[in-house]
Each structure stands twice: as structure tokens, then as C-alpha cells.
Amino acid sequence: MSEQRLTHLDDKGRAHMVDVSAKSATLRIATARGWVQMQSETLRLIESRGVAKGDVLAVAQVAAIMAAKRTPELIPMCHPLQLSAISMDFALDHQLNRVNIEATVRCTGKTGVEIEALTAVSVAGLTIYDMCKAVDRAMVIGDIRLMMKSGGKSGVYQRKD
């Protein structure tokens, strides 16, 4: 790995927001994934829409979209971006008793949307936990990671797994 400087630190080691004013606006896309593991009965309740608080995945989808749009309010050095699209996908995995979560975020801007995609997945997982905690407090939210990003000077990143 080559020697790189952390961009959110100035020459004196203080945190700062990176100046992106000289960068060109390009199409930026990022996809992130994660999962929530739970008891098999909890997964069946989600699938049958039998959770007392309502349709878990519908609420998690809205929460994730809202969170992606509000990422700069949560992550201090994150730039406010005009997001073009946020798509969420949930897949039920009955073998591992998981809800797999995927978020893809797009914009045309001067900085990437990786943090927005990761935030969407994180908040979707937290929402699933919140809506199901009355029946399953042992749920685990895990493996939140960037899968792909494109756009900008650094080009394309694709996770190998």
C-alpha cells in the first residue's frame, strides 16, 4: 500500500472539510451492503408482515433513503450532496436467517457517495433491529461494507469478494 495522507486532516493534524471546489463534477455511484441476522421466527414475521410495528422492510427502505439524504448531518466532514437516486434492495436469506441489505446511491458531483450508501445500509439495519427488538433482542447487524464505487479522479473500486 502506497503512502497516502489522510485528506480530512490539515498540515497541523487538525480535522477539516476537504476543499473540492477545484474538482470537476462527474457521475458518482456507490453500492454498499450489510445484513441483519436474527432468529428464524423473526425472519418469518418480517416475510409475512406480522411484526406489530408494521411492514419492516418498507419502513427500513424509507429510513435508509432519509438517512442517505441526511448523511452530512451525521458525519462531520461529509459534503452536502444533491443526490440523484437512492435504491434499496432487501433479500431474505432463510439459510442464514438474515435480511441482506444493499444500497446504491448516485449523484453528479465533486465528491463521492460512498458514505451515503454506507449510511443507508447502516440505518436500514438499525431500523430492522428497532422494529423487531420486541421479539428478538439477539439480532446482529453486520458486515457493512462498500462493494463498488465509480466516478471521480480515483476511478472505479470493486470489492473482490
Side-chain angles (χ1 to χ4, degrees), residues 1-16:
M1 184 176 219
S2 65
E3 177 91 18
Q4 292 185 337
R5 188 170 83 71
L6 296 175
T7 58
H8 286 87
L9 298 176
D10 67 14
D11 294 336
K12 295 181 178 145
R14 295 179 302 211
H16 74 110

Side-chain angles (χ1 to χ4, degrees), residues 7-48:
T7 58
H8 286 87
L9 298 176
D10 67 14
D11 294 336
K12 295 181 178 145
R14 295 179 302 211
H16 74 110
M17 187 176 210
V18 174
D19 182 357
V20 296
S21 58
K23 292 173 105 179
S24 298
T26 62
L27 176 62
R28 312 289 183 128
I29 304 170
T31 299
R33 289 185 186 152
W35 47 255
V36 182
Q37 190 165 31
M38 60 201 61
Q39 297 171 16
S40 60
E41 180 56 30
T42 308
L43 190 60
R44 281 193 291 276
L45 282 171
I46 291 170
E47 185 172 39
S48 68

Side-chain angles (χ1 to χ4, degrees), residues 39-109:
Q39 297 171 16
S40 60
E41 180 56 30
T42 308
L43 190 60
R44 281 193 291 276
L45 282 171
I46 291 170
E47 185 172 39
S48 68
R49 294 187 175 100
V51 174
K53 288 186 176 183
D55 185 334
V56 173
L57 300 182
V59 174
Q61 179 171 344
V62 172
I65 291 168
M66 290 174 63
K69 294 191 303 186
R70 299 187 80 164
T71 298
E73 295 174 33
L74 302 169
I75 309 299
M77 303 306 164
C78 204
H79 290 84
L81 299 172
Q82 186 67 42
L83 302 181
S84 305
I86 305 163
S87 64
M88 297 299 303
D89 186 49
F90 300 93
L92 305 183
D93 182 339
H94 290 282
Q95 286 190 313
L96 296 173
N97 294 322
R98 289 182 177 169
V99 175
N100 293 315
I101 305 164
E102 181 175 283
T104 299
V105 179
R106 299 169 62 100
C107 85
T108 299

Side-chain angles (χ1 to χ4, degrees), residues 15 57 71 119 126 160:
L57 300 182
T71 298
T119 298
L126 289 167
K160 303 277 189 257

